[in-house]
Amino acid sequence: MTEWSPELWKKKPALQQPVYEDQADLDRVVRQISQLPPLVTSWEVDKLKAQLAEAAQGKRFLLQGGDCAETFADCNSATIVNKLKILLQMSLILIHATQKKVIRVGRLAGQYAKPRSSDMESRSGHVYPSYRGDMVNAIGFSQGERRPQADLLLRAYERAALTLNFIRSLIDGGFADLHHPEYWNLDFIPLSSDSAAYEKIVTSIAESLRFMETVTETPISNLERVDFFTSHEGLHLSYEEAQTRQVPHKTGWYNLSAHFLWIGNRTRVLDGAHVEYFRGIVNPIGVKVGPDIRQEELLALTDILNPKNEPGRLTVIHRFGLHKVEECLPPLIDAMQKNNKIVTWCCDPMHGNNEVTEDGTKTRNFDKILQELKHAFRIYREMNAYLGGVHFELTGDNVTECLGGARGLSSRDLKRAYKSNVDPRLNYEQSLEMALLIAREMAQK
Ligand code: PEP
Ligand code: CO
């Protein structure tokens, strides 16, 4: 492989990048960010990589989740608390089910840039650039709001720092006490046909926590510090370049804007700028793969992105959809096994299950999400491989964006609290229920 430096991606075609009117302005902002302190540290990044290496061997389980697109407006106390709360609660259910340590990775503190299917959006005779996330332009539909503004990169860096700062304080301050099912909102349980099974899991979690606390005479939150990591799609390469640093006494370049970054399904082209950028950073990275990936393509990506076959370096996040997972997943597992490639496998059951209601609302169905996951678990079992983790779009708030779940949300309910600007998320109850159902699935094997 050739020498690498953080700006080398510019020599390759870069998909999904905004076009700024003033290049000098963009350069100024990138320079400014590159002089600001990093958001995460290299030792945290290394720690996550070591944990993901264990997930590849089935010794840990990755729970990755958060918004499709974070917004600046949602950088507030309640939204952040609720997101952390649901992820911690889900992780506890998964620990209980798997008897494995769970790696918690939020899709947050930087998930501000989105790939779009079209560069322009037209509405009632007006055509303006598509919304590409709050780090690029604004959601409002006017020429001014949709114009990419370089300063928004700085605003994104700041929002990411504020979010992460609050999360670190919550965790240090014993917020992990929210682990206790006594604090959970379980009103949906009686509405479910599986309520008895859910009750059993929750009671047993509560009992084992109480048992541990009694034996050790220490609150559970003091027993082990909760690790929490951040991640986002490494889409906007100028933003990523600005936060790519060398660290004293270590070799290589770290992207210190997040612990984990992934390449999206639309930008994973072999000879493109994203793959070129990602091959050079030492962070653990992910690559999202959809139904059009071929075996040879994944092998080639693996060769470029993880030439030393280092465990924990590469997570393959597949997002095939319920109807394609059976056809698409086994050949990929097979290719990696035959070529002795070590990857951490992760199932994103969200992005292959998008649907549109009759009135044009983007949604996803709780049951299809769950079914895709169940198929994935079975396929890995049959092929003697490990599903190392799951990737969700979710929020801790009470939104109505996905159909189904114990409350049986219908397409009419979606209007009530549909807040996402991009993809629909599982709400608090749906997320908790999903974790309970995965727990049951994993316990049955
Ligand atoms: C996403 O994760 O929001 C996304 C755009 O996914 P994908 O790259 O898998 O389409
Ligand atoms: Co999405």
Side-chain angles (χ1 to χ4, degrees), residues 93-166:
I93 294 171
L94 293 174
I95 292 168
H96 181 78
T98 57
Q99 302 293 317
K100 286 176 193 169
K101 292 193 171 169
V102 170
I103 312 166
R104 304 167 192 88
V105 180
R107 265 180 81 114
L108 47 73
Q111 179 54 20
Y112 294 115
K114 294 309 296 174
R116 303 316 303 259
S117 45
S118 134
D119 283 343
M120 305 301 282
E121 181 179 345
S122 62
R123 265 192 236 169
S124 36
H126 296 284
V127 185
Y128 301 129
S130 294
Y131 170 65
R132 289 189 168 276
D134 278 9
M135 108 171 16
V136 174
N137 55 7
I139 185 76
F141 194 66
S142 68
Q143 184 64 38
E145 285 160 298
R146 289 295 173 89
R147 191 168 53 86
Q149 290 193 46
D151 262 339
L152 293 175
L153 296 176
L154 203 48
R155 301 287 89 79
Y157 163 86
E158 291 159 357
R159 292 295 204 285
L162 294 170
T163 303
L164 190 52
N165 178 58
F166 189 42

Side-chain angles (χ1 to χ4, degrees), residues 121-377:
E121 181 179 345
S122 62
R123 265 192 236 169
S124 36
H126 296 284
V127 185
Y128 301 129
S130 294
Y131 170 65
R132 289 189 168 276
D134 278 9
M135 108 171 16
V136 174
N137 55 7
I139 185 76
F141 194 66
S142 68
Q143 184 64 38
E145 285 160 298
R146 289 295 173 89
R147 191 168 53 86
Q149 290 193 46
D151 262 339
L152 293 175
L153 296 176
L154 203 48
R155 301 287 89 79
Y157 163 86
E158 291 159 357
R159 292 295 204 285
L162 294 170
T163 303
L164 190 52
N165 178 58
F166 189 42
I167 284 180
R168 290 190 194 278
S169 317
L170 286 169
I171 285 177
D172 286 345
F175 176 77
D177 267 350
L178 284 171
H179 268 134
H180 273 276
E182 285 85 355
Y183 297 94
W184 300 4
N185 182 349
L186 299 170
D187 296 349
F188 70 97
I189 287 195
L191 303 173
S192 156
S193 54
D194 288 320
S195 58
Y198 292 176
E199 299 259 6
K200 218 164 119 194
I201 298 175
V202 172
T203 311
S204 137
I205 293 174
E207 277 168 4
S208 48
L209 288 179
R210 269 194 297 273
F211 176 75
M212 286 229 309
E213 288 182 334
T214 312
V215 172
T216 59
E217 296 181 5
T218 315
I220 200 79
S221 54
N222 294 353
L223 287 177
E224 195 196 0
R225 200 185 168 282
V226 167
D227 280 330
F228 191 88
F229 300 100
T230 61
S231 69
H232 62 260
E233 177 173 350
L235 180 71
H236 195 302
L237 292 173
S238 298
Y239 181 77
E240 304 307 339
E241 176 193 325
Q243 298 184 78
T244 308
R245 314 277 164 91
Q246 280 175 310
V247 176
H249 315 301
K250 290 194 179 181
T251 47
W253 294 86
Y254 284 81
N255 181 322
L256 295 178
S257 72
H259 302 104
F260 178 96
L261 294 114
W262 73 87
I263 311 180
N265 187 44
R266 292 171 203 262
T267 47
R268 59 170 166 72
V269 278
L270 281 176
D271 201 31
H274 290 81
V275 170
E276 172 59 25
Y277 171 78
F278 271 75
R279 79 176 172 89
I281 55 172
V282 301
N283 300 54
I285 59 170
V287 61
K288 293 268 222 118
V289 299
D292 59 346
I293 184 100
R294 289 170 299 112
Q295 282 180 317
E296 313 78 71
E297 221 179 334
L298 183 60
L299 277 168
L301 272 171
T302 313
D303 284 339
I304 301 172
L305 295 172
N306 191 14
K308 297 195 185 121
N309 208 19
E310 182 192 2
R313 156 70 173 165
L314 184 61
T315 299
V316 177
I317 308 167
H318 52 85
R319 26 86 85 229
F320 295 130
L322 173 58
H323 298 296
K324 298 261 176 75
V325 65
E326 192 75 56
E327 171 197 335
C328 298
L329 181 56
L332 297 190
I333 299 178
D334 193 45
M336 295 292 109
Q337 284 177 332
K338 287 213 172 95
N339 291 278
N340 295 317
K341 301 285 187 197
I342 302 166
V343 297
T344 308
W345 294 103
C346 178
C347 178
D348 164 359
M350 312 298 290
H351 286 89
N353 290 313
N354 290 344
E355 51 188 274
V356 180
T357 62
E358 272 172 19
D359 68 3
T361 311
K362 267 169 79 172
T363 189
R364 292 162 172 155
N365 188 309
F366 185 92
D367 281 331
K368 288 191 186 159
I369 295 168
L370 178 67
Q371 289 308 322
E372 177 171 355
L373 268 175
K374 284 190 173 182
H375 282 295
F377 275 111

Side-chain angles (χ1 to χ4, degrees), residues 20-63:
Y20 293 91
E21 283 166 12
D22 184 349
Q23 181 64 37
D25 191 37
L26 176 65
D27 293 344
R28 174 188 60 80
V29 171
V30 168
R31 238 183 350 263
Q32 219 173 331
I33 297 174
S34 70
Q35 282 151 20
L36 291 166
L39 300 180
V40 304
T41 62
S42 62
W43 52 94
E44 293 167 342
V45 171
D46 293 341
K47 184 175 186 184
L48 175 60
K49 197 194 264 182
Q51 295 190 2
L52 288 167
E54 291 185 13
Q57 301 174 301
K59 294 187 184 145
R60 284 186 187 252
F61 195 74
L62 164 70
L63 170 65

Side-chain angles (χ1 to χ4, degrees), residues 68-69 399 401 417-425:
C68 180
V399 301
E401 297 170 5
Y418 197 105
K419 306 243 173 79
S420 175
N421 289 331
V422 195
D423 287 337
R425 304 159 293 178

